[in-house]
Amino acid sequence: MKIKYPEIGICGLSCRLCPHFHTEGASKCGGCKTESRMSAGCPFITCALKKKGIEFCWNCQENETCEKWKKHRDSGKKTDSFKCYQKLEDDIAFIQKNGVNEFEKSQKIREHLIKEMLREFNEGRSKSYYCIAATVMEIRELEVALTKARKNSDGLEIKEKSRVLHLILDEIAKQRNYYLKLRK
């Protein structure tokens, strides 16, 4: 089977917004459907790709009655793993309405914004936080926050620059009721 979208999880998660996708070295993950992940034992890989030959759960004839996918989605409404699940249902709905290509376009924009945050404002401890912000917040809000942070942190050291961006993102999150932490 030819994989067209390795950076979009079989279950609907965006690999591009995962901290492991933005890691250097051996622990870097290239996406849920890359060769290294295919042997990880994910139940969605086993069911969708290996048994049924489909790339996404929503393309399965059993998607509305699948207990495994339902449990995953229900769990994602309350908790996260190492990756933020807060927008999983919204993302699935977006894909079903607009298609995978449109979703991938938006995820590439979000990925680009994460890379900018990491390059310019990461003091070494903010990768997960920036990935959550890029998952939860609107693209325009992220762009405005980056522009404001650049202006307000000109000439500062990296720790202070990071703090400036955190304060801006936290203020937006407070105003819009976003939760910028992993839910455990």
Side-chain angles (χ1 to χ4, degrees), residues 4 6 20 26 35 38 49 65 103 112 122 125 135 148:
K4 285 182 66 178
H20 293 282
E35 191 174 318
M38 294 289 256
L49 288 177
T65 59
F103 181 69
H112 176 75
N122 187 24
R125 301 176 58 211
T135 300
K148 188 174 180 180

Coordinates of all heavy atoms in Angstrom, one line a residue, residues 4 6 20 26 35 38 49 65 103 112 122 125 135 148:
K4 N 0.2 8.1 1.4 CA 0.2 9.4 0.8 C 0.5 10.5 1.9 O 1.0 11.5 1.6 CB -1.1 9.7 0.1 CG -1.3 9.0 -1.2 CD -2.6 9.4 -1.8 CE -2.6 10.8 -2.2 NZ -3.9 11.2 -2.9
P6 N 2.2 10.5 5.4 CA 2.8 9.9 6.6 C 2.7 10.8 7.9 O 2.8 10.3 9.0 CB 4.2 9.7 6.2 CG 4.4 10.6 5.0 CD 3.1 10.7 4.4
H20 N 7.9 14.9 19.3 CA 8.8 13.9 18.8 C 9.1 14.2 17.3 O 10.1 13.7 16.8 CB 8.3 12.5 19.0 CG 8.2 12.1 20.4 ND1 9.3 11.8 21.1 CD2 7.2 12.1 21.3 CE1 8.9 11.5 22.4 NE2 7.7 11.7 22.5
A26 N 18.1 10.2 17.4 CA 17.5 8.9 17.3 C 16.0 8.8 17.7 O 15.3 8.0 17.2 CB 18.3 7.9 18.2
E35 N 8.4 4.1 8.5 CA 8.9 2.7 8.7 C 9.2 2.4 10.2 O 8.8 1.4 10.7 CB 10.1 2.5 7.9 CG 10.5 1.0 7.8 CD 11.7 0.7 6.9 OE1 11.7 1.3 5.8 OE2 12.6 0.0 7.2
M38 N 5.9 1.9 12.1 CA 5.1 0.7 11.6 C 5.3 -0.5 12.4 O 4.4 -1.3 12.6 CB 5.4 0.4 10.1 CG 5.0 1.5 9.2 SD 3.2 1.6 9.1 CE 3.0 0.9 7.5
L49 N -3.9 -0.1 8.3 CA -2.9 -0.3 7.3 C -2.6 -1.8 7.0 O -2.7 -2.2 5.8 CB -1.6 0.3 7.7 CG -1.5 1.9 7.7 CD1 -0.2 2.4 8.1 CD2 -1.8 2.4 6.3
T65 N -18.8 2.3 14.0 CA -19.1 1.3 15.0 C -17.8 0.7 15.7 O -17.9 -0.1 16.6 CB -19.9 0.1 14.4 OG1 -19.1 -0.5 13.4 CG2 -21.2 0.5 13.9
F103 N -6.5 19.8 5.2 CA -6.0 19.6 6.5 C -4.5 19.6 6.5 O -3.9 20.3 7.3 CB -6.5 18.3 7.1 CG -6.0 18.0 8.5 CD1 -6.5 18.7 9.6 CD2 -5.1 17.0 8.8 CE1 -6.0 18.5 10.9 CE2 -4.6 16.7 10.1 CZ -5.1 17.5 11.1
H112 N 5.3 25.1 10.3 CA 6.2 26.2 10.1 C 6.2 27.2 11.3 O 7.3 27.6 11.7 CB 5.7 26.9 8.8 CG 6.5 28.1 8.5 ND1 7.8 28.1 8.0 CD2 6.3 29.5 8.7 CE1 8.3 29.3 7.9 NE2 7.4 30.2 8.2
N122 N 13.1 29.3 21.7 CA 13.2 28.1 22.6 C 14.4 28.1 23.4 O 15.5 28.1 22.9 CB 13.2 26.8 21.7 CG 13.1 25.6 22.6 OD1 12.7 25.6 23.7 ND2 13.6 24.4 22.0
R125 N 13.4 24.4 26.8 CA 12.4 23.7 27.6 C 11.0 24.0 27.1 O 10.0 23.7 27.8 CB 12.5 24.2 29.0 CG 13.9 24.0 29.6 CD 14.0 24.6 31.0 NE 13.0 24.1 31.9 CZ 12.5 24.8 32.9 NH1 12.9 26.0 33.1 NH2 11.6 24.2 33.7
T135 N -1.2 23.5 18.2 CA -2.3 22.5 18.0 C -3.6 23.2 18.4 O -4.6 23.1 17.7 CB -2.1 21.3 18.9 OG1 -0.9 20.6 18.5 CG2 -3.3 20.3 18.8
K148 N 4.3 40.0 17.6 CA 4.4 40.8 18.8 C 5.6 40.4 19.7 O 6.3 41.2 20.2 CB 3.1 40.6 19.6 CG 3.0 41.5 20.8 CD 1.6 41.3 21.5 CE 1.5 42.3 22.7 NZ 0.1 42.1 23.3

